[in-house]
Structures are given as C-alpha cells and as structure tokens.
Amino acid sequence: MALIVQKYGGTSVGSVERIQAVAQRVYKTVQAGNSIVVVVSAMGKTTDGLVKLATEISPNPNRREMDMLLSTGEQVTIALLSMALQELGQPAISMTGAQVGIVTEAEHSRARILHIETTRLTRHINAGKVAVVAGFQGISSVGEMEITTLGRGGSDTSAVAIAAALKANFCEIYTDVPGILTTDPRLVAEAQLMDAITCDEMLELASLGAKVLHPRAVEIARNYGVPLVVRSSWTDQPGTWVTSAKPQGRSLINLEIARPVDHVEFDTDQAKVALLRVPDKPGVAARLFGEISRQKVDVDLIIQSVHDGNSNDIAFTVTTPILKRAEAVATAIAPALRSPSNPKSDEAEVMVEHNIAKVSIAGAGMIGRPGVAAKMFATLAEAGVNIQMISTSEVKVSCVVNAAECDRAVLALRTAFEIEAGEQGSRGAGESTCIDSPLPLRPSAPLPNCPPVRGVALDLNQARLAIRQLPDRPGVAAKLFGLLAQYNISVDMIIQSQRCRVIDGVPRRDIAFTVSQIDGENAKKMLTQVAAELGWGEVVLDSAIAKVSIVGAGMVGQPGVAAKMFEALAQQQINIQMIATSEIKISCVVAQEQGVKALQAIHAAFELAGSEKFVVPA
C-alpha cells in the first residue's frame, strides 16, 4: 500500500462534472489499496473573479484582506470534492491550510512554508479517510491565526510540501496536459511528451515559464527527494516522472526557507576568449560557434553582452588544455566577421585571458530571492575580488575572477553562506592552491538514451535594463544588485560587457540584466536616480524582448549544441541580442515580435516534435 498525494488544478475541478470525475479517480486509487491526500485549487477562474471583485472595491486592496478573500476559492472546492467522495461511499474530510497545520511566514500574498504539523492529517489518513486539502494557503502561526496565501503556483507548492512532510511514496500533479512536453503545445502542436525528466532540468524549464509545475514545487521535490509525476486529468496515460537524487537528511523545519545556497564551487582550470566589437546582426554567433563545434572545442560559459552601437562582444570560457585550439579558431574566424570595406579595422578583436577561475554558488533555494546574487557580489567586493564575467541560472550564479583570488573568494563565500568545507565543490584543484575539497557538484546526470536538449522555453514577460559605463572595480555589482534586492526586484540574466573603456582615468564597463516586465519601469526610475548620484552612465530599458532557452543535462560536453541553436535562429534571420549559459541551459534574448518564431525554429532544429498533436482543453 502506498501513501500518495494528488494535486488537481483549477481546470481539473472547474465544474461539478469535473469534480465528480476527480472523485471517481481518487476512489479508484483508494480501492487499489492506497492512502490518499488530495490537494486542490480553486474551481476554474474563481481566483481571477475574486481578484476582479477586489479591484472593483479598491484599486490597491490590502494584502491581508486579499488573502482572506482568495483563500475562500479553495475552500469551495474541498467541500464539494469531499461531498462527491462521500456520495461514492468513500469517507473523506475537507481541511483548510490552517486545519492541516501548514505554518508559513507572516507574509501576506507570498508566504513561504515553515513547517507542516502532520498529526491531525495522519490521524485522518490512519482512520481510512481521504483528506481533501485546500492548496495555496496556510496560517502564519498558531498564536496569530493569520490566513496567508503562498502566491503563484501555491497549490503545487502545498502538494509537494505535504508529500515531503508525510514522506509520501510519491506526489501526482494532475493538469490539463498529459505530462511535461518539450515545449508549450499552444505554440507547437507537435510538442512531444517526455517519459521522465530530472529535477534540475525541470527547475530550469519551470523557471523559464513552463506552466506545468511551479519552480517552488520542484525546489521542494529536489531538496527532499519527493518523486513527482505529472499526469493528465482527462486520461489514464502514465505521464512524466520528475526524478531527483536521494536527499541528504534535510530538516523539515523551515521547509521553504532553509539556506538558499548549498554549495560553493570553483574551477581554476579555465581561460577566457573574447571577440570584441563583432557586428550586431543575425548569424554572427552561428558562424563562430559553428566553427568551434567543427573543431571539437568544448566551451563552458558563453556570454554576449548588450549591443553598443552596431556591435557587441562575445566571450566564452574553455578549459586550459584546449585554449590554444579555441584561440586559433577565434583568430581564424575574426577576419570574416569584420566589415568588407574595412577588413583591417579593430572589429572582431580577439582577446585571450589566462589565469582565471570560475567561482559559483549553487542551491535550489535561490529561486525568487533577489538578495542572493547581491550577497555574493557584496561578499566578493568585501574580499577585494573583482568580477570579470557573470553568468546566472535559477539555481546557480557564476563569476569569473582572477585565479590568484580564487582562495580568497571561496573562503569568503563559504563564510557568508555558512557552507562547511565538506559541502563545497571544486575542480581543477591540481593546477591551483585553491582549497582542497571534494569533486564539484555537477548537474544531475542525464537520463539514459535521452537527447542532449530536452525542452525549449519562451518567456515573453521580461524587460532588459542596461547601465552604461559602470566603474570596473570591486563593489559596483554588489551596490547595483543590492539596490534591486532592497526593492524586492528579482533579476534573471546578468551580463557584464567584456569591452572596457577608460573615462577620466577610470576603467568602465556596461552591465545588462533582465527583470520581470512589471518591475521594469520601477527599476529604471530607481536606478536612473542612483546612477546620477554615483556618476554611473545612462540607464536604458527595453520591454520589447523575448528570452528563448534550451535545457538539457545531456548538453554538457556537447560543443555542437550551442552552434545548432544559434544556426536555427540565423536561418530565420533572428538577431541574438544577448546570450547567457549555465551547464544545462542556453538562453538568448531576441526581439519580442520574433519570440514565437524563435522557439518554433529551435524546437524543429533539435527534432523534438512528435507525431501526435496535443490540444489543451479550454
């Protein structure tokens, strides 16, 4: 007999008929000998309707009262589903988040779960009842009795957290698609269903806007080793399993606010190659990385900064043993990237830098916490370590620094994020005096017989900010991203230009980064004021961008993957405005109007389409 947590979204319980269908599915699962906890969302568009009512009363409703209002949506569903189960002869009890014992932070509208008091829930399960739980909500503390909501994706988060607290055998997420697809079926009807995907890959896809699972739910599953399966509410298909490594005895106290960083990693076996002032036009990255792929040069980080006039910079890192080969490729292709009318210009200048190290912080708890990157940059600044390159993903922030400063950087980060020496990762320690420690935490291994790219995602809800002529010295990035964190603005991609200008004796670089569109104008207004006070350059906002990304644990050590992505965009005459990478993700910023075409081109290039067309129910 298994203990299973099932979660049903708003579409799955959107009518009386659908609630009765869910009750039938739950009943069959119990009859097969299982114990069930069911977590549900509000019916259909109920939450949207409640929000509309509130805004008709007040243009800026009180957050506490909004929590009180919105929490009622799930309470309707739990009562109706419990009644439906009882009509089938199955004992059931409906429970609000407070009655279940979901204790959260005292943060209205965006609370994180602290812990779950499972005593009452376990008693009902042992009595043979199906516990029907309201997702998306909790209570701030037993004393205050304040109802809180968990924010977007809250029902997913509730379900996986309950599964972790109960040590359930697995958690089933029922939705309106048959599982996790290679891309959004609304944009590519032939999107293919995956049998399984790793938690690392799912975290990236979820954070990139794939709406099947919320990143917070995946984060909990990854931290506590909860087996997840995403299935359709309308069929009996097996769905997609989300796999994770065996957890390392993490406490269930402070369940969602445990330390955000689990590992400090470093790699001293690195060198950087940059092409400065390459033409800002389609096909440039495709030509460069196509040749790199043909020469079997495996690159690590790839960064293309925001354009400056008609050109921009592309930089990449490689391991030291293949540096000469990488430099030769870049030098050979540089003349072809220069203007035909002026082949001897300073366009496409090749710059090589030895003696660098990549220092990274990693942890699934970084998601949605804007202060983590800022804390890393501040820590490096306090240690006197200057940042040469920055690359980010949802679960990692990497900085390229001088190799001589590696020890100092790692020690400072370990202290700041309270990481014990044995929890730290390293690579290339044989070539450096960097602190001796175990091998690095690498992304979870790809699943057997899987292609290098598992999915393609599109985010049309981002804006890009660029700040020109920031002083190139320790502490500037810390100041910039610390300010954004104070305003609770989360940053996604961060790109620091490779080109350095000396103005009034001060070396300066540009920094560009992406934020949510809703934060764009506020961020620009705040940073424009700060820039004027600190002598920084112009702040430029572009809200008409799209970010298209590929994700796959199998792309590690596959030099042709980036080239294929860039070539797919070049063939459609889509210009790449920014590039940022992590070990298992490559993201490109393109014009917003070309976003859907970019996704479709990349999905086709990696042959991810299946023979079946998926139609998402209304």
Side-chain angles (χ1 to χ4, degrees), residues 509-538:
R509 298 182 190 270
D510 301 339
I511 288 186
F513 53 92
T514 60
V515 298
S516 170
Q517 275 183 356
I518 60 174
D519 290 328
E521 288 292 346
N522 286 339
K524 181 187 177 183
K525 184 178 179 181
M526 180 268 291
L527 291 174
T528 299
Q529 181 179 342
V530 171
E533 295 170 359
L534 298 179
W536 297 351
E538 181 186 13

Side-chain angles (χ1 to χ4, degrees), residues 14-25:
S15 66
V16 168
E17 292 75 20
R18 289 182 177 180
I19 288 173
Q20 289 171 329
V22 167
Q24 288 285 353
R25 186 185 291 273

Side-chain angles (χ1 to χ4, degrees), residues 4 45 213 228 235 242 292 340 354 398 418 451 485 539 552 616:
I4 304 168
K45 301 292 184 181
L213 277 173
L228 271 179
T235 71
V242 183
I292 285 172
H354 305 260
S398 297
E418 302 178 2
V539 180
V616 179

